[in-house]
Amino acid sequence: MNSTTHLVRGQDLSLQVTEVGQGEPIVWLHGSGPGATGMSNFGGNLPAFDGYRHLVFDLPRYGGSDRVTIDEPLVPFAARNVVAVLEAMAVERFHVVGNSFGGSVGIKIAADHPDRVRRLVVNAGGARPQDASGRSPGLALLWGYMEKQQPTRDDMAEFIDAMVVDKSLVTDRLVDERYEASLRTHPELETLPPVFGDLLPDLPRVEAPTLLLWGREDVFLPIERALVNVRGIPNAELRVIPGCGHWVQVEAREYFDAAVRRFLDEAAP
C-alpha cells in the first residue's frame, strides 16, 4: 500500500501521521508499549480496510513525533493534540480505532468531540476501575522496561511474550525490531502514573457507537476493566476473544479485521 508520512503541528507539539488510501477517514492510535508506533501496531491490519483513508498516528513522545516534556495527564494531552492535528489537516469527521493507550485517547476524543467521532473502536483500553490497586503483571513489565536506564533485548522479549498467548508470534525479528525501535526513543515517558488521567467521568459523554474488543487472557488490562467501560459508555458493545492476550489486532487479526470492518461499514450512508 502506498503511504505518505507527514509531521503536522498540533497545539503543543508536532505529531507524525502516516496517510494511506482514500475515503472516509479512520484515525488509528497505538498503545503505550516501548518502541510502539502507529504503523507497528496497525500496519498489518490496513490492507483489510481498503476504501478508507487511514490516518495512522505516532502519539506524543513515540515514533517520529516530537518528544516534548509533558507535565499533565497524558491521555487528555494526547487527545487534544491529535484533534489539533486533524484540524490542521482539515479532517472534520472520522472513525477512531485505538489500542490500549490509544483506545483511552480515542475515548477522550469521542467524549470531548461527539460531533466529530462517527464510530469508536477500543481494543483493550479506557477507564480504570475505581477499586483497582497496583499494577497488573503486564503493566509491571511495561513500566519496568520504561524505568530502566538501559533495557536489554531480553527485557523486550519478556515484554512481548506477555502480550500474546500464542508464543509463536514472538519471533526473533519482531523482538529485534521493537527493541531497536525502543532504543531510538527510550524513554518514551518521563513521568509515571497518575500520568494517564481518569477517564471514568468521560465514559457517559461518549455518544458514538462503540465497539470494545478484549482478549480474555489479557494480563495488561484484565477483562474486569472491560466491564467498567462497557457499562459506562451508553452505546457500547463488548466482545471478548478467547485464547487471546493484549494484542488483539495481531493475535486475532482475522477476527479483528472482520469485526472492525463490519462495524465501521455499518455507518456508511
Side-chain angles (χ1 to χ4, degrees), residues 234-246:
N235 192 8
E237 170 189 359
L238 170 64
R239 300 187 194 183
V240 177
I241 298 94
C244 184
H246 191 59

Side-chain angles (χ1 to χ4, degrees), residues 115-134:
D115 56 327
R116 293 188 172 183
V117 177
R118 297 197 66 205
R119 293 210 161 196
L120 172 64
V121 178
V122 177
N123 175 15
R128 178 179 177 172
Q130 283 183 318
D131 59 354
S133 60

